[in-house]
Amino acid sequence: DADVTQTPRNRITKTGKRIMLECSQTKGHDRMYWYRQDPGLGLRLIYYSFDVKDINKGEISDGYSVSRQAQAKFSLSLESAIPNQTALYFCATSGPGTGSSPLEQYFGPGTRLTVT
Amino acid sequence: QQQVKQSPQSLIVQKGGISIINCAYENTAFDYFPWYQQFPGKGPALLIAIRPDVSEKKEGRFTISFNKSAKQFSLHIMDSQPGDSATYFCAAMDSSYKLIFGSGTRLLVRP
């Protein structure tokens, strides 16, 4: 997990607030992903990026936006948080790199977000 | 639309027993099938993966069985240990490098 870091690890916010979750990686990967985990639903893809100039919507992008500030940094924003966005959020990376299988996704430790 | 269906939702096994988790997929374009293991408070981590050109892959106590014609694959954990207690996710990937995950199985191995 140390290769992929997420901040904050826990966050409680109120409905309507804007919030940003940040992800950094030291694996030298080009591909980065944001997932949301809900009990009984597994992990669902929110957005993904294959390089700094490439941003793509995933399965559940409504209400979210992202920014790829650098190869190593990928942030997720909730413009106006709502209670049903309460979930665990994971960042992941993949791609050719030292000691990496190009297909394996490496996950960060997650951010637990609660919207009240 | 759930493209990867996983069962059971939860599983309790005695120490030393065999744990079996099943997944089925719909999209024949999927060509990489990993299993991820997640402990509480941690992110998922790759456990074992298979490509559709082989029917079985074994790594230690963990085996993936793959049935291409049935579009099904399963994870077998032999000699299950309490330390194997975790949530397991199957997944599938096509050529676009996106993973579609199953809904997860919470495994508890009793001592």
Side-chain angles (χ1 to χ4, degrees):
Chain A
D1 285 356
D3 296 324
V4 184
T5 57
Q6 293 184 234
T7 56
R9 293 294 314 276
N10 289 280
R11 181 71 182 266
I12 300 174
T13 192
K14 294 184 182 297
T15 298
K17 293 292 187 182
R18 183 180 190 276
I19 184 168
M20 179 181 288
L21 309 182
E22 298 185 330
C23 176
S24 295
Q25 54 109 349
T26 59
K27 298 192 74 68
H29 289 163
D30 291 330
R31 299 189 287 266
M32 298 188 73
Y33 310 80
W34 274 104
Y35 292 92
R36 167 180 172 156
Q37 183 177 7
D38 298 277
L41 295 178
L43 292 100
R44 293 179 292 166
L45 184 63
I46 306 173
Y47 271 95
Y48 60 103
S49 169
F50 287 173
D51 66 39
V52 175
K53 297 181 180 180
D54 176 76
I55 301 290
N56 303 281
K57 292 182 178 181
E59 180 187 357
I60 52 163
S61 59
D62 287 350
Y64 302 95
S65 63
V66 292
S67 174
R68 184 80 183 265
Q69 300 95 325
Q71 185 201 33
K73 295 183 182 295
F74 193 35
S75 59
L76 175 72
S77 293
L78 286 69
E79 298 301 326
S80 179
I82 56 176
N84 79 358
Q85 291 178 314
T86 292
L88 260 176
Y89 289 85
F90 288 100
C91 173
T93 74
S94 73
T98 304
S100 300
S101 160
L103 297 181
E104 179 178 352
Q105 290 191 12
Y106 295 82
F107 285 78
T111 294
R112 183 171 295 278
L113 176 65
T114 303
V115 183
T116 61
Chain B
Q1 180 185 7
Q2 189 179 8
Q3 297 190 57
V4 178
K5 296 184 179 179
Q6 183 172 347
S7 63
Q9 267 193 324
S10 62
L11 181 61
I12 300 175
V13 173
Q14 289 296 127
K15 178 182 176 181
I18 302 173
S19 303
I20 302 174
I21 305 171
N22 300 298
C23 284
Y25 64 97
E26 300 168 6
N27 188 346
T28 55
F30 291 146
D31 61 3
Y32 173 72
F33 300 88
W35 285 89
Y36 279 79
Q37 180 187 54
Q38 183 182 30
F39 293 105
K42 303 289 187 181
L46 179 67
L47 183 63
I48 186 172
I50 197 168
R51 302 297 288 264
D53 53 345
V54 296
S55 60
E56 184 175 282
K57 183 173 182 180
K58 183 176 181 179
E59 290 183 1
R61 296 184 294 109
F62 301 91
T63 299
I64 300 178
S65 296
F66 189 85
N67 185 329
K68 188 175 181 178
S69 61
K71 292 188 286 185
Q72 295 176 346
F73 58 112
S74 59
L75 176 69
H76 296 236
I77 306 174
M78 311 299 288
D79 187 26
S80 298
Q81 299 297 312
D84 297 330
S85 297
T87 300
Y88 293 81
F89 294 96
C90 63
M93 179 187 286
D94 62 19
S95 58
S96 66
Y97 299 110
K98 293 185 297 181
L99 279 175
I100 308 297
F101 283 88
S103 55
T105 297
R106 184 172 292 185
L107 171 66
L108 176 63
V109 181
R110 293 198 188 280

